[in-house]
């Protein structure tokens, strides 16, 4: 029988495959790695955009109207499931679009060139917090149909006749320096800042004096602020202080 012989030639000789060019394999590996990195980054940006659009969005706190709950420079994460699948509740801290005339023009951060393009792109996909100049953040005090009054004999707000103990109000501030007696219209909420003496909230924009002007349309609410995420020293959840509102009747008593 003929002996079997082992091919002594190297790769690319007897098997018909072309011989590898020295240095070609590392280049191919580097190219494949770059493609993988680009693919991962693209998927991350798409996922971040989806999360920002329908689930969560970060916002920057530019003013002291919510001190000491929120400080200037804080970054908060806002859940876009509220309002929506999750109902708004009294005590929720909410971000909402300016209903009209609430905000005054202030100084803006000027960016140009590549830094502006990169910054805007990262904000667009949700990897940087929004510095939007047409949003505000306040606490919901009254829901649609609520009768909100300031103040009772002990200088407390009342909602549907129930006085509120408000531990979140800035130390030294009164419940309100302005008196009011309003009923929140349907599909609206009455909002107030925790730093009552430094917050131009529903009280300051209710020209009619009955809640119809100062209340914010629910359709303008972007979402509920659920946590402070920056700086790390202030990392934590934002409470809706359910105990404060637990005794409030679901609807205003009939006169």
């Amino acid at each position: 029988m003929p002996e079997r012989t082992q091919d002594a030639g190297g790769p690319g000789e007897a098997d018909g495959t072309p011989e590898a060019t020295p240095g070609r394999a590392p280049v191919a590996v580097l190219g494949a790695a770059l493609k993988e990195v680009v693919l991962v980054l693209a998927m991350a940006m798409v996922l971040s955009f989806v999360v920002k659009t329908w689930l969560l969005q970060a916002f920057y706190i530019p003013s002291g109207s919510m001190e000491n709950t929120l400080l200037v420079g804080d970054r908060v994460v806002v859940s876009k499931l509220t309002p929506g699948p999750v109902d708004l509740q009294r005590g929720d801290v909410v971000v909402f679009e300016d209903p009209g005339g609430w905000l005054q023009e202030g100084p803006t951060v000027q960016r140009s060139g590549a830094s502006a393009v990169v910054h805007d792109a990262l904000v667009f996909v949700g990897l940087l917090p929004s510095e939007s100049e047409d949003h505000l953040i306040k606490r919901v005090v009254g829901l649609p149909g609520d009768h909100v009054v300031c103040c009772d004999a002990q200088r407390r707000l009342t909602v549907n006749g129930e006085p509120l103990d408000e531990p979140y109000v800035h130390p030294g501030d009164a419940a309100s320096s302005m008196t009011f007696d309003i009923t929140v219209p349907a599909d609206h909420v009455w909002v107030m800042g925790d730093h009552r003496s430094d917050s131009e909230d529903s009280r300051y924009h209710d020209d009619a004096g009955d809640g119809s002007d100062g209340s914010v349309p629910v359709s303008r609410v972007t979402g509920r602020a659920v946590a402070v995420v920056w700086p790390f020293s202030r990392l934590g959840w934002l409470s809706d202080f359910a105990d404060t509102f637990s005794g409030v009747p679901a609807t205003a008593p009939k006169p």
Side-chain angles (χ1 to χ4, degrees):
M1 296 180 64
E3 285 187 353
R4 293 184 177 179
T5 58
Q6 185 176 7
D7 184 9
E13 294 179 3
D15 59 4
T17 58
E19 185 176 356
T21 304
R24 184 174 180 181
V27 173
V29 170
L30 179 60
L34 286 175
K35 287 181 181 178
E36 186 172 347
V37 169
V38 170
L39 179 61
V40 169
L41 288 176
M43 292 176 63
M45 293 183 75
V46 170
L47 178 60
S48 180
F49 177 74
V50 169
V51 169
K52 173 199 166 185
T53 303
W54 287 288
L55 297 177
L56 299 170
Q57 185 173 355
F59 282 88
Y60 168 83
I61 305 301
S63 76
S65 70
M66 283 294 292
E67 293 175 343
N68 286 331
T69 302
L70 297 172
L71 305 181
V72 176
D74 283 353
R75 272 70 165 176
V76 297
V77 168
V78 171
S79 168
K80 292 193 168 183
L81 298 177
T82 305
V86 181
D87 292 334
L88 283 168
Q89 302 291 334
R90 302 181 190 95
D92 285 348
V93 176
V94 294
V95 170
F96 57 95
E97 297 175 17
D98 185 353
W102 284 40
L103 288 170
Q104 299 177 356
E105 288 191 15
T108 58
V109 178
Q110 299 296 328
R111 297 183 178 86
S112 60
S115 65
V117 173
V118 171
H119 176 270
D120 291 347
L122 293 178
V123 170
F124 179 74
V125 298
L127 295 177
L128 280 181
S130 174
E131 297 174 355
S132 175
E133 297 168 10
D134 61 351
H135 284 73
L136 303 97
I137 187 165
K138 307 291 180 189
R139 190 179 298 276
V140 175
V141 174
L143 295 174
D146 281 349
H147 181 208
V148 187
V149 178
C150 178
C151 288
D152 67 4
Q154 286 74 45
R155 301 302 301 166
R156 298 171 297 182
L157 294 185
T158 66
V159 179
N160 297 340
E162 181 71 18
L164 302 182
D165 177 18
E166 301 182 280
Y168 44 78
V169 171
H170 189 278
D173 273 7
S176 176
S177 60
M178 302 175 64
T179 59
F180 54 88
D181 184 338
I182 65 95
T183 298
V184 184
D187 301 319
H188 287 65
V189 288
W190 183 265
V191 297
M192 299 175 69
D194 289 355
H195 196 173
R196 297 285 163 82
S197 63
D198 189 30
S199 176
E200 293 191 6
D201 44 46
S202 288
R203 299 168 293 166
Y204 287 82
H205 302 280
D206 194 45
D207 295 339
D210 59 5
S212 58
D213 293 329
S215 298
V216 176
V218 172
S219 61
R220 291 273 187 172
V221 176
T222 301
R224 177 194 169 200
V226 294
V228 177
V229 294
W230 182 263
F232 287 137
S233 60
R234 288 182 43 75
L235 188 70
W237 297 104
L238 291 172
S239 174
D240 61 359
F241 290 89
D243 289 346
T244 294
F245 298 91
S246 61
V248 175
T251 57
K254 295 182 179 179

